[in-house]
Amino acid sequence: MHPPPSPTLHQGSTFAELYRSAFKAFSTREALVGDGVRMSYRELEQGCHRMVRCFQGMGLRRQDGIAVLAANRPESVMVIIAAHLMGLVYTPLHPLGSEEDQAFILSDVKAKALVVDVSHHAGRGAALAQRHLVPHVLTLGPAAYGIDLLAESSGLDGSDIALDAQPDDILKIAYSGGTTGRSKGIVHHQRTVVTSALQQLACWEWPSEVRFLAATPVSHAAGAMLLTTFLQGGTVHLLERFSVDGFLQTVAAERITTTFLVPTQIYGLLDASEALATHDVSSLQLVLYGAAPMAPARLRQALGRFGPVFAQVYGQAEAPMTISYLRRDAHDLDRPERLSSCGRSLPGNQVRLLDAHHAEVPVGEIGELCVRGPLVMSGYLDRPEETAKAFAGDWLHTGDMARRDADGYLYLVDRAKDMIISGGFNVYSSEVESCLAQHPGVALSAVIGVPHEKWGEAVMAVVVRKKEGAPVDAAELIAFVTERKGVVQAPKLVTFVDTLPLTALDKVDKKALRARYWTGQDRQVG
C-alpha cells in the first residue's frame, strides 16, 4: 500500500491567494473608484502590500486580530484586503454601532489593532482609543490620536509579499446585531468565505463587464462582493452612503452594470419617480437584493420600472450570502407566487426545513430552514452553549421559518423571533407586510406583536403613507388585510409614522419598534 497523502495535499485555497490571482491577471485594468480616486489593479495591489509591511513593522503577525471602523472609501478596501493577504483575523465594526457595543467587540475579539476612518468616525475613534482596548490604534489620515496608517505606509515597498495566510486560518469574526443581548462573534475560517465566493462566481448571473456599485457598507454585504468582482476583472465603485440622487448619478455617470441593494433602498428609488425619470439606468443588468424580505407588490413595481434585472440572494451572518438564489428568469410575472421566493439552495449546501424534533417537514409545510456544508460558520467565539444550540442535530439553525414547493423553491415566511402568536394562532409578519404593500396608499410598513391581555399579542402595523395619492386611514387598511388574509392576520392596531427606524444596514429595526410597547413586559423578542 502507498503511504497516506500529506494533509496539505487536499487543502483548499485562501482568500489571499484568490486576491493575488486577480491582481496578477488584470494588473492594468481599473479596479477601484471612489472618493475622487481611480486605481488600477496594480496600484491597488501595491497599496495593499505597503499596508501589510506597515502592519508587520508594528509587530502584527498572522492570526492577530484587526478591527476596522470605516466608511466606503478606497483606503478602507485596501486595509481589508491587506488584512486578508497577511492572514490577520478581520472584524468589521458597524458604522452606526454604539460606542459600548464597539468597545465590547474589541475586548471580546481581543483585537491587536483598530483602524479608524477619521474622516467619518474621528470622535468615535477618539473615544475608543481612550479606553486603551487595543495595543495599536491606526487612523486613515492625521488625527490627535493613534498612528496615521496612510502616512506611515506611503513610503514603504509595494512589491510582492509572502502570503502567510493558511487554509485552516480564521479569516473573519463578524458580530451579530446584538438583538437578543450582547452580540456574538461569528467565526469564519477560510473555507467559509472561499466557498461563498466560488458559489457567487458559479451561480450568480454576472454581466459580461462587471462594474459593481457598492451602495451598502463594504464592512457588510457589499464587502462580500469585492473579491468576486475582482476575480472577473471588474471594477468596484464605492458610494460613501446610499442616497437616491447619489446612486442614480453614479449609475448614469459610470455605466454601472451591477449592484446590491436592500429592499428599503429599492423602495426609495421607486418612490423617487421624478429623479428616476431624469437619470439613465439602462446600463444595469443585475440588481442583487437581500438582507430582508421584499414585498412582492413592490418587486412587481421594480420589475416594471427597471426591467428583468433583479435577483435575490439569501444568507445570514452564520452562512453568508449564498444559501439560496432566485434567478432573474424566476422573477416571472406569469408566476407571481415566485416573487415571494428566495430561490433554490445553491450547489454545495444541504438545506432542510425541520420541525422542533429535527424531522423534515413535508412539501408545502412550514419548518425552520437549516443548513449544512462548507458555507456554515465554525461557531460563536467563546460561546459553546450558544454554538451547541445553533448546531443542534448537526444542522445550522437559521431561525428563519420557511416552506418549500414541489419545484424546490424556498419561501421565507418569517424570522422565528418576528412571528406573532395571537390567541394561539401563528401570524407571520412578513405576509401581512406583503399584503399591506399592495395597497396604493402604503409606502412601507412594519408589522409587530404588541401586548394584549386576552390574546397575549395583538397584531400592529406601523405604516408610512405614500406622499402621492389619497390619504389612507387605519380602518381602511384593517379591512384591506381582512379581506385578503382573514381576520387573524389583519392588524388590530394601525399607527402612522413619517419614517421607520432603520438599522445600520438600512433594514427596518423591529427591535426598536417593539421596545416601545414591551418595556417591562415578560416577552421582549429581540
Side-chain angles (χ1 to χ4, degrees), residues 448-488:
I448 60 173
V450 296
H452 192 279
E453 289 185 4
K454 180 178 179 181
W455 299 320
E457 291 182 276
V459 181
M460 168 181 269
V462 185
V463 175
V464 178
R465 293 184 177 101
K466 280 189 177 175
K467 295 178 182 178
E468 305 156 358
V472 60
D473 61 22
E476 182 180 348
L477 290 182
I478 292 171
F480 184 83
V481 179
T482 301
E483 179 182 349
R484 288 157 179 78
K485 300 294 292 181
V487 68
V488 172

Side-chain angles (χ1 to χ4, degrees), residues 215-216 242 247 259-263 265-266 269 287-291 310:
T216 60
F242 178 84
F247 177 88
T259 189
F260 171 84
L261 298 171
V262 299
Q265 293 169 338
I266 298 174
L269 292 170
V287 176
L288 300 158
Y289 67 96
F310 290 90

Side-chain angles (χ1 to χ4, degrees), residues 50-67:
R50 284 191 284 270
M51 285 191 175
V52 167
R53 288 191 165 93
C54 190
F55 292 153
Q56 291 171 336
M58 63 184 61
L60 294 180
R61 296 293 179 262
R62 168 177 157 254
Q63 292 296 273
D64 283 345
I66 184 168

Side-chain angles (χ1 to χ4, degrees), residues 404-424:
R404 192 196 307 256
D405 68 18
D407 295 320
Y409 285 89
L410 296 162
Y411 299 80
L412 301 180
V413 296
D414 224 343
R415 289 288 295 167
K417 66 184 181 184
D418 289 340
M419 186 177 71
I420 302 162
I421 304 175
S422 184

Side-chain angles (χ1 to χ4, degrees), residues 356-367:
H357 305 290
H358 302 159
E360 188 169 9
V361 302
V363 169
E365 293 193 11
I366 294 172

Side-chain angles (χ1 to χ4, degrees), residues 19 22-23 26 31-32 41 44 77 81 225-236:
Y19 268 113
F23 291 153
F26 308 110
L32 198 58
Y41 277 76
L44 175 58
V77 173
I81 297 173
M225 300 163 203
L226 297 177
L227 176 60
T228 40
T229 296
F230 293 148
L231 285 170
Q232 299 171 91
T235 306
V236 172

Side-chain angles (χ1 to χ4, degrees), residues 199-206 225 288 313 321-322 325 346:
Q199 288 176 325
Q200 289 178 40
L201 287 172
C203 301
W204 292 2
E205 302 153 286
W206 297 95
M225 300 163 203
L288 300 158
V313 303
M321 301 301 293
T322 52
Y325 180 71
L346 292 186

